């Protein structure tokens, strides 16, 4: 906020208001809510692997705990590996793809509002602070497109173009999304369900007769 002038700050605020007007945060929150059981088990595995949120520890603090963490991580991921696969390779990339599309659409809304030049200047100021990306982050897992691609899209956008129609979720679509997440959760936890031994001579077993 200190480094942007009034017009640039206005463009950034317009970008965020475009997200709000389209309901983008609610859409992302719905995905998070539907996949919450998977996310919880995934974070349990990450916690056992030593991932911590907050103040980073020094190497001297981490070294004595590394052996225990390796054992806990091996045990945890032995049971939770399907959750890691689903979060890392299915839900995460799908959500990131939608989030990147939201960023392009919010930028387009700013251009149509006549603030495209100010938004370009703001992005150019922010670009040097953009952290480096791996190929995985650049293509699949990042929630924001690279600044260079956003700048290119803004420069090629027609300010007089019409805004796309809003996409609304029907009850059927919401139910399908919830059902898909339930199936993914069942797949992720199926290997944890103990096998119930079947006695072939039980009275209820059809083979008994």
């Amino acid at each position: 906020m200190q480094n942007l002038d009034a017009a640039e700050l206005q463009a950034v605020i317009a970008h965020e208001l475009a997200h709000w007007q389209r309901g983008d945060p609610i859409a992302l929150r719905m995905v998070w809510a539907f996949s919450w059981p998977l996310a919880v088990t995934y974070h349990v595995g990450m916690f056992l692997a030593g991932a911590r949120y907050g103040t980073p520890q020094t190497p001297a603090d981490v070294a004595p705990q590394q052996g225990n963490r390796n054992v806990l991580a091996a045990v945890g991921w032995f049971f939770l590996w399907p959750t890691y696969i689903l979060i890392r390779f299915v839900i995460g990339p799908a959500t990131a793809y939608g989030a990147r599309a939201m960023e392009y659409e919010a930028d387009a809304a700013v251009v149509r509002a006549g603030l495209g030049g100010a938004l370009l200047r703001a992005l150019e100021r922010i670009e040097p602070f953009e952290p480096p990306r791996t190929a995985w982050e650049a293509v699949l897992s990042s929630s924001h497109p690279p600044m260079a691609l956003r700048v290119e899209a803004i420069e090629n956008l027609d300010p007089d173009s019409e805004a796309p129609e809003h996409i609304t979720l029907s009850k059927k679509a919401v139910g399908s999304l919830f059902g898909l997440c339930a199936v993914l959760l069942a797949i992720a936890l199926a290997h944890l369900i103990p096998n119930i031994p079947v006695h072939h001579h039980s009275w209820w077993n059809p083979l008994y007769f």
Side-chain angles (χ1 to χ4, degrees):
M1 293 179 65
Q2 295 176 351
N3 293 332
L4 301 180
D5 61 33
E8 295 165 355
L9 185 59
Q10 185 180 12
V12 172
I13 294 175
H15 173 94
E16 300 304 329
L17 287 176
H19 280 308
W20 175 81
Q21 194 268 341
R22 291 175 48 83
D24 293 342
I26 300 299
L28 294 176
R29 184 60 61 178
M30 287 179 62
V31 174
W32 177 88
F34 285 146
S35 60
W36 181 78
L38 287 172
V40 168
T41 52
Y42 173 80
H43 283 295
V44 168
M46 295 300 293
F47 181 84
L48 294 176
R52 298 292 186 272
Y53 297 99
T55 304
Q57 295 176 309
T58 64
D61 297 328
V62 174
Q65 306 171 12
Q66 194 63 42
N68 294 334
R69 287 180 179 175
N70 289 338
V71 173
L72 289 175
V75 173
W77 287 124
F78 177 79
F79 293 102
L80 302 177
W81 66 266
T83 302
Y84 177 86
I85 296 297
L86 291 173
I87 290 290
R88 185 70 172 170
F89 297 101
V90 179
I91 296 178
T95 304
Y97 174 82
R100 290 194 297 271
M102 293 174 183
E103 292 302 318
Y104 285 123
E105 292 164 358
D107 287 344
V110 176
V111 174
R112 286 190 293 269
L115 299 172
L119 181 61
L120 279 176
R121 295 197 304 272
L123 292 178
E124 289 171 355
R125 288 179 183 269
I126 298 172
E127 186 174 7
F129 301 98
E130 184 179 26
R133 304 182 184 212
T134 64
W136 175 266
E137 292 170 337
V139 177
L140 290 178
S141 65
S142 178
S143 62
H144 284 63
M147 291 291 185
L149 295 183
R150 292 178 65 184
V151 169
E152 181 180 358
I154 293 172
E155 291 175 342
N156 295 331
L157 184 67
D158 182 6
D160 297 327
S161 61
E162 295 183 359
E165 295 182 1
H166 293 293
I167 300 176
T168 58
L169 286 177
S170 63
K171 292 182 179 180
K172 182 179 180 180
V174 173
S176 299
L177 180 59
F178 182 80
L180 175 61
C181 289
V183 171
L184 293 177
L185 177 63
I187 294 173
L189 301 180
H191 68 295
L192 298 179
I193 301 175
N195 293 324
I196 301 176
V198 177
H199 301 288
H200 295 290
H201 298 289
S202 300
W203 64 269
W204 51 268
N205 192 330
L207 298 179
Y208 177 76
F209 299 99

